[in-house]
Amino acid sequence: MRRFIYSLLLFAIYTGAVAQENYEQYRSIYNMAEENYNIGKLDDAERILTDHLKKFPDNMLQSAYRLLALCSLGNDNLEQAEQRTFLLLQQNPYYTASTTDPQRFIDMVERIKSGLSATITTASSQAETLSEVPVPTTLITQEMIRDCGGSNLQQVLAAYVPGMHIIDCNDDINIGMRGIYSNSQEKILIMVNGHRLNSYATNIAAPDYSISLEKIKQIEVLRGPASSLYGGVSLTAVVNIITWQGADIDGIKVKAGVGNYGQLRGDALVGKRYFDVDLLLWASIYRATGEARFVDREDTGLGYDSGDVTIGSIGKKPSFDVGLSLKYKQLQFFYNSAFSQIQAPMTMLYLYSPYNIEKFRTLNGIGPSFATQSHHANLSFQHMLGNVWLKGSITYDNSELTHYQVLTEEPTTAILQVLPIPDQLKYALTDQPGLFRYINGQEHTIGAKIQGDWSYMNIKNHKGLLTFGAEYSYFNLNDVRYTFGYNYDNIVPENSTIPDIGKGHESNLNAFIQLKHQWRDFILNAGTRFDFKNRYDGSHIREFSPRVALIYNRPKWNVKLSYSKSFIDAPYLYRKTNEVLLSYLDIRNVPSTIDPESLYSWQLSFSSSEWIKGLNFEVNGFYNHAKDLIFLFLADHSNAGMMDSYGIEFSGSYRTSRFSAHVNATWQGCKKLEVMSYQIDKLINTPQLMLNTILSWKATKHLRLHTHLQYYGKQQVFHLEPISYATYSGLLEHYAQLQLQEMESPGSIAPEEFSEVETKLEYYSSRASVQKDYSGRFLVNVGANYTIGNIELGLDVHNLFNHHYTQSGMSTGLIPQKGLWLLGSISYRF
C-alpha cells in the first residue's frame, strides 16, 4: 500500500510538472499572439491562435476565443467575431468583458448573452439592441423591403414607420413625419452608412429612385428629433441606410425588371472579401414614362382648361445609383454617385394645371423636372487608444441642382401681377404661352469629424459609456443660374447680377457629448450638441440640442421616457432667394432673414418581445411643439407657422417559419396650428388615422407571397390662392397704415373707410384660405417571388384595384396619384 501511495504521489508530481510545462508553453504561444495583436499584426495573431487552438488547455480557451474575436472585429469581420464570441460564452456563460476591451466587443458579448441579435448603431452612434435605444426606433430588414413590394425608399418608409406618411407637393417625391413636411423632403436626415445625403444648399434628400433598394441590408429609423447627435436637418427623424458588406454577397447578383407605363429597372451587386479587404459594388437604374390621367377643369387652379397629366414620370433621363464600399482592416472608403429626376404632373404650385412636356425645350439635356446629380465620398478610420475607441472621417459632397419649372402653359396676365419679377419682365411675358422658370446651381462641401467612445465602467451592476466628438463642414455654392422662358422655347436674357448674388459659402462647427449609463435594469441616456454656424451674410446661428432618456429594461419588456429638442436652419437657397427679392427686385413684404425651425418632443413608449413566441410590439405616445416653421408663398419664404400635435403609434410583428405579419398604426391630432396668421384646428394634408399591414407567406418551398394593405383616413386640404392672398396682404398693409395715421392724428380717418377695408379683408381672407376635407383611401398591393436554384422571379402589383385618388402638400392643390402599376423582375446570383 505504501508503495502504491508513493507511486501515486510520484505520478501526480510528474503529471503536474508536465502540465505546468505545457501550460507555460501555450501561455508563451498565447503571449506571442497577444503581442502581435497589440502592434496591429492581426493576421499573424489569428494564425498563431488557430494553429494551436485544439491544443490549448481548457483554462486558456476562453482567452484564446476572446483574442480571436478581437482579431475578427479588428478586420471588420462581424459575422466571424460573433461566432467566436459565442464559443467564448460556451466556455464561460458568465463571462463579462472588461472596460479595457473595445466597446464593440463589450456590446457583442452583452447582446449574445441576452439572446438578442438585432442591433442598430444610429440612435446612440454605437451598437445596441432595440430595447436599449433611447428613442422609438424602427428597424427594416431586406426581407421586409421585399415583402412590402415598395419600389422606392418613400414607399418602404411609409409602409413600416409609424407616423411617416406620403406627401405630394407636385415637384418631388416627398414624405412627412407626424404632420411636419415641406415642399420637398428636407426635414428628415437620410444617410448611407452614416454619411449624409441631404443637400447643404436645400436640405433635400428625396427618398426616390436614386437610392437603390438592392444594396440595403437594413434601414434604421429614429422617430423623433435627433439633433443631439446629428445637428440640423434631423428635425423630425433620421433614416440611416446600412448597406451589405462584400462578404454578405460573396459573388455577383444581377436583377432586371420591366413593367407598364414604360418601367425599366436594372440592378447589380458585386461583393467579395479577400483576407483583410472587403469590397461591395452596386449599380441601379430606373426609368418610367408615366401614367396619363385626365384632369377636369374644376380640379385645376384658377379654372384652367382640363387635360391630361403624367403621373410617375422620371423625366427624360433615368434615375441611377452607383457606388462602392471598400474596407481594409480599420480603414473604410465609401463613394456614391446618383442622379434623381422627377417630372411634376402639373404646373407650379397654386396654379396646378395640366401641361404638355413635349412642347418645352430641354436645357443642359434636361426637360421640365426637379433633378439632382450628386457625388458623396467618405474616408474613415478607427483605432483603439487605451480605453477609448476613436473614429475619424473626412467627407466630400457635390450636388448639381436643377429646378426646371413650368409656370403655366396658357397665356396669362393675372398671375404675372403677383409673381416676384421685375416690371419689364412682366411686360415681356404678358399673354405669352409656355412660361417656365429655370434655376441651376452647383454646391461643394468638405467636412471632417472625430469621435471617441470611452468605456469608463463595466462591472456587475454598472456599465458606462461616454461618447464625445466634434465636426466641421465648409459649404460653397457656385455656378448659379436663374432665368425665365416663354413660348416654350425662348429664354429671357440672364441678368449677371442675380447669379453673383446667389453665390456664397457657409461653415459649421459643432461639438457633442453623450452619456449612457446602465445600473441594473435602468439606463440613462443623455447628451447635447452645440452647433455654431457662420452664415454667408456674416450672421451666426448658435443652437443647443439636448436629449435625455430614461429606460427601464426587463428581459421581455421595457419602458422609455424621453425628451429631445432639434432644429434645422433655413436652407441656404431660401435665404438667398429672399435676398434677391428684397435687394435686387425691390419686392416688399419679404422677410430680410429666416430663423431656424425648432421641434420639442416628449415621448413615452412601452415595448415587449417574445411574450408569445414570435410576437413583438411597441406602443408609443408623443407630444410635439414645433415653432418657426417655414412656409413658401410664390417665391419668398418666411417663419410663418407653428404646431402643437400629439399622437399614439403602434407597431407589431409576428413571425413563424413560414408566415410573417407586420402591423403599424398611427392616430394623431392637432392642438394648435398656425399657417401665415391662419388658425387651423386640424393637421393639414395629414391623415388622422393611418394603418399598414404587411403579410408574407411561404406557400411552398420555392414560392413566397406577400400583401401590403394601406389605409389613410380622411384628410383636410389647406392652401392659399395667390391672387386673393396678394390682395389680402396688400389690404392688411393698407389697414395698418390707416390705424397708424389714426393714432397719430385722431379723427383723420372716417369710420366708413375702416369699415370698407374690414369688409374687403373678410372677403379676401375667405378666398385666400381654401380648406376642405377629402375622403380617405384604402390601397392593396400584392406580389410573389419564385426561386429556382440561383434564379428568382418576382412580380409586384401596386394599387391592385386601380383606385384613383389625390394627395396634397404644402401650398398646392390636389395632385393625382398612381393607379395600377405592375413590375416583373428576374434575378440571378453567380
Side-chain angles (χ1 to χ4, degrees):
M1 179 64 67
R2 185 180 297 177
R3 289 182 178 178
F4 178 73
I5 293 175
Y6 285 151
S7 298
L8 287 176
L9 289 173
L10 289 173
F11 180 77
I13 293 171
Y14 173 77
T15 54
V18 172
Q20 180 65 28
E21 182 179 353
N22 288 337
Y23 179 82
E24 294 298 331
Q25 176 186 355
Y26 287 104
R27 168 56 65 181
S28 175
I29 293 173
Y30 176 84
N31 289 340
M32 185 187 305
E34 191 171 45
E35 289 174 3
N36 278 279
Y37 171 81
N38 290 333
I39 62 175
K41 295 183 177 181
L42 304 183
D43 294 336
D44 290 342
E46 189 172 6
R47 178 181 51 77
I48 292 171
L49 290 172
T50 53
D51 287 347
H52 300 87
L53 189 62
K54 294 181 179 180
K55 300 177 182 179
F56 274 119
D58 288 344
N59 57 356
M60 289 188 64
L61 273 176
Q62 175 180 307
S63 297
Y65 282 131
R66 169 190 167 274
L67 192 56
L68 281 170
L70 293 177
C71 290
S72 298
L73 278 179
N75 287 322
D76 274 337
N77 192 335
L78 300 182
E79 183 178 353
Q80 188 181 67
E82 287 191 351
Q83 292 173 351
R84 289 170 170 176
T85 305
F86 181 78
L87 293 173
L88 161 62
L89 292 172
Q90 281 188 323
Q91 289 291 316
N92 179 11
Y94 303 101
Y95 175 83
T96 300
S98 69
T99 56
T100 59
D101 287 327
Q103 187 59 41
R104 293 196 300 172
F105 177 71
I106 296 173
D107 292 333
M108 186 174 292
V109 169
E110 294 301 315
R111 184 171 74 251
I112 294 176
K113 285 173 67 175
S114 66
L116 298 175
S117 59
T119 61
I120 68 168
T121 58
T122 309
S124 300
S125 193
Q126 63 209 251
E128 56 191 352
T129 64
L130 287 173
S131 63
E132 295 177 313
V133 296
V135 294
T137 303
T138 300
L139 178 65
I140 305 171
T141 65
Q142 175 63 223
E143 183 181 3
M144 293 166 65
I145 295 174
R146 179 199 62 196
D147 289 345
C148 76
S151 62
N152 57 36
L153 183 61
Q154 178 205 45
Q155 296 175 12
V156 173
L157 295 176
Y160 286 108
V161 184
M164 281 196 178
H165 50 95
I166 291 176
I167 285 292
D168 196 324
C169 295
N170 194 39
D171 289 334
D172 204 0
I173 288 179
N174 199 356
I175 194 163
M177 180 66 178
R178 295 172 179 170
I180 299 177
Y181 53 88
S182 294
N183 289 299
S184 295
Q185 195 303 101
E186 60 190 51
K187 311 230 187 276
I188 299 172
L189 175 63
I190 298 180
M191 303 186 295
V192 173
N193 294 336
H195 185 96
R196 165 177 169 159
L197 297 185
N198 297 68
S199 160
Y200 287 81
T202 64
N203 291 344
I204 293 173
D208 59 15
Y209 299 95
S210 64
I211 300 176
S212 167
L213 297 182
E214 294 297 318
K215 71 183 179 188
I216 298 175
K217 182 177 183 179
Q218 66 184 44
I219 305 172
E220 302 170 1
V221 184
L222 307 187
R223 303 184 339 247
S227 290
S228 62
L229 275 179
Y230 299 105
V233 183
S234 54
L235 185 74
T236 60
V238 173
V239 176
N240 190 14
I241 295 169
I242 308 300
T243 64
W244 296 106
Q245 293 193 30
D248 298 321
I249 305 301
D250 193 28
I252 301 174
K253 180 182 178 182
V254 293
K255 185 176 182 180
V258 62
N260 59 347
Y261 304 120
Q263 291 183 90
L264 291 175
R265 186 165 209 155
D267 295 275
L269 284 174
V270 179
K272 202 69 181 177
R273 173 169 286 161
Y274 300 94
F275 301 103
D276 295 330
V277 178
D278 186 277
L279 173 66
L280 176 72
L281 300 168
W282 70 84
S284 176
I285 189 169
Y286 178 82
R287 72 177 294 271
T289 55
E291 171 188 358
R293 179 85 56 80
F294 181 79
V295 175
D296 195 60
R297 180 187 180 95
E298 63 182 20
D299 294 324
T300 66
L302 302 183
Y304 282 113
D305 284 343
S306 56
D308 285 337
V309 301
T310 303
I311 306 167
S313 172
I314 298 304
K316 298 293 185 181
K317 296 173 62 177
S319 293
F320 66 79
D321 176 13
V322 297
L324 70 90
S325 173
L326 178 64
K327 294 183 179 180
Y328 175 72
K329 295 185 177 180
Q330 295 172 343
L331 187 68
Q332 181 172 354
F333 176 71
F334 165 84
Y335 172 76
N336 172 235
S337 177
F339 178 75
S340 166
Q341 185 177 21
I342 302 297
Q343 177 189 332
M346 308 181 84
T347 60
M348 70 171 290
L349 67 170
Y350 302 113
L351 302 182
Y352 48 94
S353 59
Y355 70 99
N356 186 348
I357 191 173
E358 300 299 332
K359 293 183 178 181
F360 290 84
R361 64 172 298 172
T362 60
L363 292 167
N364 292 332
I366 296 177
S369 61
F370 186 67
T372 304
Q373 170 75 65
S374 61
H375 303 272
H376 306 280
N378 186 311
L379 180 65
S380 61
F381 181 75
Q382 305 180 50
H383 181 68
M384 192 70 183
L385 185 63
N387 289 346
V388 180
W389 182 253
L390 289 176
K391 294 174 279 188
S393 63
I394 55 175
T395 60
Y396 172 73
D397 299 275
N398 163 252
S399 292
E400 182 177 359
L401 313 167
T402 300
H403 200 175
Y404 183 172
Q405 188 178 43
V406 176
L407 303 181
T408 175
E409 188 170 6
E410 298 184 22
T412 182
T413 56
I415 192 61
L416 292 175
Q417 301 310 311
V418 295
L419 279 176
I421 56 179
D423 290 338
Q424 63 272 25
L425 186 55
K426 291 180 182 179
Y427 177 78
L429 299 180
T430 296
D431 293 329
Q432 293 287 348
L435 301 183
F436 59 89
R437 178 174 64 173
Y438 180 79
I439 303 173
N440 176 269
Q442 190 169 113
E443 62 173 286
H444 304 268
T445 305
I446 57 173
K449 179 181 179 179
I450 187 169
Q451 176 181 320
D453 297 323
W454 174 40
S455 178
Y456 63 85
M457 182 178 294
N458 189 32
I459 58 178
K460 182 178 180 180
N461 291 327
H462 289 274
K463 178 182 176 182
L465 180 70
L466 187 68
T467 299
F468 54 90
E471 187 176 8
Y472 174 80
S473 64
Y474 178 86
F475 155 82
N476 180 54
L477 182 71
N478 55 28
D479 297 332
V480 178
R481 293 187 61 189
Y482 186 96
T483 188
F484 288 87
Y486 61 95
N487 201 19
Y488 304 103
D489 192 61
N490 299 326
I491 295 179
V492 175
E494 295 183 49
N495 189 306
S496 60
T497 306
I498 294 180
D500 289 340
I501 294 176
K503 297 177 183 178
H505 58 84
E506 297 185 336
S507 61
N508 185 80
L509 177 65
N510 68 74
F512 58 90
I513 187 169
Q514 177 181 263
L515 171 70
K516 180 182 179 182
H517 190 96
Q518 181 173 355
W519 174 66
R520 295 183 178 176
D521 296 327
F522 290 94
I523 299 175
L524 172 66
N525 191 311
T528 188
R529 168 167 159 154
F530 174 71
D531 280 83
F532 178 83
K533 185 174 185 178
N534 185 19
R535 286 177 161 185
Y536 71 86
D537 59 0
S539 63
H540 304 293
I541 297 296
R542 298 176 177 87
E543 289 283 346
F544 275 101
S545 304
R547 178 185 74 185
V548 59
L550 183 62
I551 305 169
Y552 182 59
N553 201 1
R554 298 293 294 164
K556 290 195 174 185
W557 60 274
N558 64 78
V559 179
K560 304 173 186 177
L561 176 64
S562 66
Y563 163 78
S564 53
K565 178 255 180 179
S566 62
F567 81 99
I568 177 173
D569 192 20
Y572 173 92
L573 195 61
Y574 289 4
R575 292 179 273 119
K576 274 292 187 179
T577 300
N578 276 19
E579 180 184 348
V580 170
L581 298 176
L582 188 66
S583 61
Y584 175 68
L585 301 179
D586 194 27
I587 306 297
R588 296 181 298 171
N589 301 323
V590 174
S592 58
T593 185
I594 314 176
D595 296 324
E597 301 170 279
S598 299
L599 178 64
Y600 305 81
S601 183
W602 293 260
Q603 301 193 78
L604 175 63
S605 63
F606 173 85
S607 61
S608 79
S609 62
E610 298 293 328
W611 282 4
I612 300 174
K613 185 178 180 180
L615 177 65
N616 300 279
F617 71 87
E618 176 197 72
V619 180
N620 177 60
F622 68 88
Y623 182 86
N624 285 344
H625 170 65
K627 69 173 188 176
D628 295 324
L629 295 176
I630 298 173
F631 284 84
L632 167 68
F633 176 71
L634 290 179
D636 64 285
H637 297 79
S638 61
N639 300 108
M642 63 83 60
M643 183 173 71
D644 289 335
S645 61
Y646 50 86
I648 297 176
E649 301 167 341
F650 171 84
S651 60
S653 65
Y654 177 72
R655 180 181 296 276
T656 67
S657 59
R658 299 185 61 182
F659 174 79
S660 68
H662 291 83
V663 178
N664 67 81
T666 303
W667 178 88
Q668 52 193 349
C670 180
K671 181 180 178 182
K672 184 179 181 181
L673 176 62
E674 292 183 3
V675 180
M676 295 184 179
S677 75
Y678 289 95
Q679 300 285 339
I680 305 171
D681 59 355
K682 295 181 181 179
L683 293 170
I684 57 175
N685 301 313
T686 301
Q688 187 177 49
L689 177 64
M690 296 182 290
L691 177 64
N692 287 277
T693 302
I694 297 97
L695 307 173
S696 177
W697 176 46
K698 190 174 182 180
T700 69
K701 180 181 179 180
H702 302 287
L703 177 65
R704 192 173 189 92
L705 307 174
H706 56 263
T707 301
H708 175 201
L709 310 175
Q710 182 184 74
Y711 173 75
Y712 274 21
K714 185 172 65 174
Q715 303 179 48
Q716 184 177 67
V717 178
F718 171 86
H719 68 272
L720 303 173
E721 294 289 359
I723 297 178
S724 297
Y725 188 79
T727 305
Y728 175 68
S729 300
L731 285 169
L732 275 179
E733 184 177 356
H734 178 52
Y735 191 61
Q737 292 173 350
L738 292 178
Q739 289 179 317
L740 181 62
Q741 185 176 342
E742 180 66 18
M743 289 175 60
E744 295 176 348
S745 180
S748 61
I749 305 299
E752 294 80 8
E753 190 170 356
F754 271 113
S755 178
E756 180 182 358
V757 176
E758 289 170 349
T759 301
K760 290 181 178 180
L761 277 172
E762 183 177 354
Y763 171 73
Y764 281 104
S765 174
S766 64
R767 288 193 59 192
S769 170
V770 177
Q771 301 181 49
K772 63 179 180 179
D773 292 334
Y774 65 96
S775 59
R777 66 174 185 259
F778 178 71
L779 302 181
V780 178
N781 305 328
V782 297
N785 295 86
Y786 191 82
T787 305
I788 311 173
N790 291 339
I791 300 176
E792 182 177 358
L793 304 175
L795 174 66
D796 288 295
V797 182
H798 171 84
N799 196 352
L800 176 64
F801 299 108
N802 198 25
H803 176 57
H804 286 194
Y805 64 100
T806 57
Q807 178 69 52
S808 189
M810 182 173 289
S811 302
T812 69
L814 295 174
I815 308 301
Q817 303 297 300
K818 289 181 179 179
L820 174 64
W821 282 54
L822 310 171
L823 184 66
S825 64
I826 180 171
S827 63
Y828 185 82
R829 180 184 290 272
F830 295 89

